[in-house]
Amino acid sequence: SAMDIFNAPRTIFPMHFSVVLQAKFTNTEEGASIIETVNYALQDRLVYSFVELREGAALIFARIRGADGRNKLVKGPSLEQTSESEKFSSFWGASSVSTRQFSDGSIHKCVSLVDECLASGRTALAGYHGASDVMLPIADVTLVILQIALRRKLPSFTSIEGAMNNVADALTERLGDAYVDTAPLANKALSAACAEITTVVNKVQSTLACKVTGFDIVSGSARECDPYPIRPHASVAAKVSQTVLLSTTPSIEPVYCILGIDDKSKIPDTLDAIKAMKGALCAQLSNALVAAGFESHCTTTSVDIIAASGYVFRIYIAHFREVSLLRALERAPQADMLERKLFWSVQHHKYVRSVLTEVHMTFSKAARLAKRWVAAMLLGDFVAPEAIELLVARSYLVNAVKPRSAEEGFYRFLQLLSQWNWARPLPVDPTVTVDHKKVWDKEVMGMVVLAPYDNDQLSPFTQHTPRPMIVHRLSMLATGAVQALEEGRGASLWLCDIPSSFDVAIPLAASMALASDRCILQKPVAPTQYRLWRAGDLSGPDRQRYITQLCELEPANFCLRTLRGATRDKCMLFMDIYGPQSLAVVSLSQNPTPQLVRSLVESIMAAAPPGSLGHISLPPLPEVKKDKPRKEKAVKTARDSSETTTEPTTKPKKARAEVAPAVAKKSQKPKAKLVK
């Protein structure tokens, strides 16, 4: 099967990570023993280390191999090495050492640290489902290993803690191979494909009936701001790339393009006429591309170009009078959405490419970090990607001293989220004066980001989302991330505390994780292999429908949209849009009870597409004391009243009807005894 380079093991690109720990001792004269203990405890995962002795403490610097750093199993010598095996058992303790056989047939002495790692208390992972499969940070695993070893071998040892961690190493460790190693290669391949499509469209635009005012590629990957660039797909590629291997997931991410037109007022000012004109232009453009030697399909609203390199370019036609007609018909929400999609996205793309990407070399990587962090906080689909890019741009434009690295730009982005008063608008360019009354007349309730390319000084990408609740949540999470960075806990800023922030987390099925290396918490696993129809297997309408399904039906997003529509009035659902692992659920009730949470889970499981959700085990409901049946109580009351009262004629009919069965039942008891 075709395995793309994003799911390849780390051995293709070997990486090492730095871990700095501070151990405290009551007697630091045992310097040689400390160094020997550290080197022997880390063994094969260690590249090199040194120890700096201080008063009452020792600063331990270790360079750890990325391939073995997260392993919670300490592998010792083989059984044939008798003396080394005895030394290993003596070092770790005979009760902790076990014997294991590995895939190559060798048998070694080992020490498992799974329980110690999960109980270390330095991570927020204890409440997650599948905690034993959680990919712990390298710094945490190293700390647990040295803590156990130093406590056993050195009586003067008291404690150990993380002194500092390299921020770049922490980000690299969490974001995975696709982010670090292959993004430049994927960006280079996409740039070549975009240049080819732009040249072809400029050649065939003269065949169209309308004047073309511009052609722009507006996808985030085209400006190198997406965390994971768009990859060529095996189902549409006609040739093999020499730089990036093909993706085999059952989903294609199109490269979105905008083609602006001007009919010079030849078309009537009606929505039906503009819609018919767009459909005719799509058919014309598709036929011209086919005549030029490209595979192309069209609908009434878009044109798909299937490049031989494996990319799908989706072109939308923008007509400036369509938005004004929608506003004249008082359809403002639809007009805002169309204007944001077809017009403001072009202005934003040009601004980012000209002002930020080409001037500030680290802006693209900082924007990628910011988008991945927002998605890791499960808020990626509540904040527009363009809004995140504008917030990062503020970090580069507001200060005279520009960020010297992408990590510093990302850190300033987090500071901006945590410190800015979001009751006021945020100008991206601080030299622009803002009319506050004019802004608030547009009823923008959440985050207001003022972009320089907007004539009204109001960014259209924050008009409707995020809402104040999401902005408050984002600000609190950014405050915690800044604190984690300042304390040297770089890896923990990517962790969202699901157990305490949400009512319940429902795991997704393993088949829904299309890119396992993008997951923040879980270990990378072998991707599920799907049957893909490649170029030449299908033809005509069948191939067009197949490519359309791959472009529009992404399994995890489809499941999320389905469940949100079914549970809109009951709860809110959150998901990591880049590495989906689970659905986090928040009830709309102020005081959710266990019974309510259980009913929510049952509703979600019933409405979910078959095979999309995994198994979840909820705690048993508390036992409720059962009261006596109301019927017995009524009978007893009637019986008591019949003994005390002497006026049966004044009783209600209901009470009299209840007394009669009770008396009859009482008279039957002695008779049953006699029969027995």
Side-chain angles (χ1 to χ4, degrees):
S1 62
M3 176 73 68
D4 58 40
I5 203 167
F6 299 91
N7 293 325
R10 172 62 76 180
T11 53
I12 295 180
F13 301 98
M15 279 196 176
H16 302 154
F17 297 91
S18 301
V19 178
V20 183
L21 305 172
Q22 184 175 4
K24 297 182 180 180
F25 300 86
T26 57
N27 181 14
T28 56
E29 296 179 357
E30 303 172 341
S33 301
I34 297 174
I35 298 175
E36 181 181 356
T37 302
V38 170
N39 292 336
Y40 190 83
L42 298 177
Q43 289 193 3
D44 295 338
R45 69 184 71 203
L46 182 66
V47 180
Y48 61 86
S49 67
F50 65 84
V51 178
E52 178 183 346
L53 298 179
R54 300 180 178 181
E55 184 179 356
L59 190 66
I60 303 172
F61 177 87
R63 192 71 173 168
I64 306 296
R65 290 186 176 88
D68 303 322
R70 302 185 187 96
N71 193 356
K72 290 167 279 191
L73 183 71
V74 180
K75 184 178 178 181
S78 61
L79 291 183
E80 289 79 6
Q81 301 173 343
T82 308
S83 59
E84 292 294 332
S85 298
E86 293 178 355
K87 180 181 178 182
F88 186 82
S89 300
S90 175
F91 184 88
W92 293 102
S95 59
S96 302
V97 177
S98 60
T99 303
R100 298 197 180 192
Q101 184 176 4
F102 292 85
S103 58
D104 58 355
S106 60
I107 302 176
H108 293 260
K109 294 284 187 179
C110 300
V111 176
S112 177
L113 302 176
V114 175
D115 297 335
E116 288 80 359
C117 288
L118 294 178
S120 61
R122 297 193 69 249
T123 62
L125 303 174
Y128 284 94
H129 60 84
S132 59
D133 294 331
V134 164
M135 187 175 60
L136 293 178
I138 292 178
D140 288 358
V141 178
T142 305
L143 183 141
V144 172
I145 293 175
L146 293 182
Q147 183 179 19
I148 296 174
L150 293 174
R151 184 181 291 119
R152 281 190 54 82
K153 304 304 293 184
L154 299 177
S156 59
F157 169 77
T158 57
S159 63
I160 186 172
E161 59 184 8
M164 57 176 285
N165 284 322
N166 190 304
V167 176
D169 283 354
L171 302 180
T172 299
E173 176 189 353
R174 278 293 164 187
L175 293 180
D177 303 349
Y179 178 86
V180 179
D181 301 321
T182 60
L185 302 178
N187 286 328
K188 183 178 180 181
L190 179 60
S191 177
C194 291
E196 180 185 11
I197 295 300
T198 302
T199 303
V200 172
V201 173
N202 290 334
K203 287 183 180 180
V204 302
Q205 67 181 11
S206 59
T207 61
L208 301 181
C210 294
K211 178 184 176 181
V212 175
T213 58
F215 176 75
D216 299 279
I217 300 175
V218 297
S219 289
S221 295
R223 53 182 179 268
E224 301 182 3
C225 291
D226 275 352
Y228 304 98
I230 299 176
R231 299 169 281 181
H233 202 273
S235 62
V236 297
K239 60 182 180 180
V240 179
S241 174
Q242 300 296 327
T243 56
V244 180
L245 296 182
L246 302 178
S247 173
T248 58
T249 60
S251 177
I252 298 177
E253 185 177 359
V255 182
Y256 294 105
C257 313
I258 304 297
L259 182 69
I261 61 171
D262 183 8
D263 63 342
K264 297 182 179 180
S265 301
K266 296 179 181 179
I267 304 297
D269 287 340
T270 62
L271 293 178
D272 293 337
I274 293 177
K275 183 178 180 180
M277 179 196 64
K278 281 188 173 183
L281 289 177
C282 288
Q284 274 188 334
L285 180 60
S286 179
N287 293 333
L289 291 170
V290 171
F294 283 82
E295 181 183 358
S296 177
H297 307 140
C298 72
T299 64
T300 57
T301 57
S302 64
V303 179
D304 288 348
I305 306 176
I306 291 86
S309 55
Y311 293 98
V312 175
F313 290 83
R314 177 160 290 182
I315 302 176
Y316 292 99
I317 296 179
H319 192 277
F320 66 95
R321 291 210 314 274
E322 188 175 6
V323 175
S324 59
L325 284 174
L326 289 173
R327 295 195 188 280
L329 295 174
E330 297 182 355
R331 295 160 65 175
Q334 188 177 353
D336 292 340
M337 185 272 295
L338 191 66
E339 187 178 18
R340 181 171 62 251
K341 176 182 176 181
L342 300 182
F343 297 97
W344 290 123
S345 60
V346 176
Q347 300 297 325
H348 177 81
H349 179 79
K350 292 179 179 179
Y351 173 74
V352 171
R353 288 298 299 264
S354 61
V355 178
L356 298 169
T357 306
E358 297 180 0
V359 177
H360 304 283
M361 302 301 295
T362 62
F363 170 80
S364 297
K365 187 176 179 181
R368 294 170 61 203
L369 289 173
K371 289 182 181 180
R372 190 63 189 93
W373 180 82
V374 173
M377 301 298 106
L378 310 185
L379 300 175
D381 53 347
F382 291 92
V383 186
E386 293 84 357
I388 299 176
E389 294 174 10
L390 291 175
L391 294 178
V392 178
R394 163 81 179 191
S395 304
Y396 282 82
L397 299 177
V398 69
N399 295 324
V401 180
K402 309 303 179 185
R404 294 164 293 181
S405 64
E407 288 77 12
E408 185 177 352
F410 172 61
Y411 177 72
R412 293 188 184 182
F413 161 78
L414 294 176
Q415 284 184 321
L416 176 65
L417 282 178
S418 61
Q419 297 176 2
W420 185 263
N421 179 15
W422 292 108
R424 300 187 295 113
L426 173 69
V428 175
D429 190 351
T431 60
V432 177
T433 58
V434 181
D435 185 2
H436 293 260
K437 295 182 179 179
K438 187 176 182 179
V439 169
W440 289 111
D441 288 343
K442 297 181 180 295
E443 298 181 358
V444 180
M445 299 177 61
M447 179 185 295
V448 182
V449 181
L450 309 179
Y453 50 78
D454 188 356
N455 296 329
D456 294 334
Q457 302 299 331
L458 174 64
S459 172
F461 302 105
T462 57
Q463 279 187 328
H464 304 287
T465 181
R467 292 301 182 187
M469 177 185 66
I470 302 297
V471 174
H472 178 68
R473 167 79 174 159
L474 201 61
S475 179
M476 292 179 58
L477 292 170
T479 303
V482 170
Q483 184 178 1
L485 284 174
E486 293 176 350
E487 295 177 358
R489 298 180 288 109
S492 61
L493 65 92
W494 299 99
L495 305 179
C496 183
D497 194 4
I498 289 181
S500 61
S501 303
F502 303 93
D503 294 330
V504 66
I506 304 176
L508 294 172
S511 59
M512 305 292 284
L514 302 183
S516 59
D517 62 324
R518 301 182 181 182
C519 298
I520 294 294
L521 297 177
Q522 301 289 344
K523 296 187 299 185
V525 296
T528 305
Q529 298 300 321
Y530 297 89
R531 174 66 173 92
L532 291 176
W533 298 97
R534 301 178 184 272
D537 295 342
L538 298 174
S539 60
D542 293 337
R543 178 167 173 78
Q544 180 180 356
R545 284 193 295 267
Y546 180 66
I547 294 177
T548 302
Q549 289 179 354
L550 291 180
C551 293
E552 297 178 358
L553 296 181
E554 201 279 326
N557 289 334
F558 175 74
C559 175
L560 181 63
R561 291 196 302 268
T562 302
L563 292 178
R564 279 179 175 171
T567 60
R568 186 184 304 274
D569 56 342
K570 298 179 182 179
C571 61
M572 294 182 65
L573 299 177
F574 301 84
M575 185 185 71
D576 185 352
I577 59 175
Y578 292 116
Q581 299 170 255
S582 61
L583 293 177
V585 184
V586 175
S587 171
L588 297 182
S589 175
Q590 295 183 355
N591 299 314
T593 61
Q595 293 84 353
L596 178 61
V597 173
R598 183 177 291 272
S599 64
L600 281 178
V601 172
E602 293 175 354
S603 301
I604 292 173
M605 298 294 282
S612 59
L613 300 181
H615 174 71
I616 179 173
S617 57
L618 296 175
L621 297 176
E623 295 184 359
V624 181
K625 295 183 179 180
K626 296 183 178 180
D627 298 332
K628 293 183 179 180
R630 185 174 295 180
K631 184 176 181 181
E632 295 182 1
K633 186 175 181 181
V635 171
K636 184 177 180 181
T637 305
R639 189 182 303 162
D640 294 342
S641 61
S642 64
E643 293 176 356
T644 56
T645 184
T646 57
E647 298 180 0
T649 55
T650 60
K651 294 181 182 179
K653 294 182 180 180
K654 185 176 180 181
R656 196 180 304 129
E658 291 177 351
V659 173
V663 174
K665 188 175 181 181
K666 186 175 181 180
S667 61
Q668 289 178 0
K669 287 183 180 180
K671 188 175 181 181
K673 277 188 178 182
L674 294 175
V675 172
K676 186 177 179 181

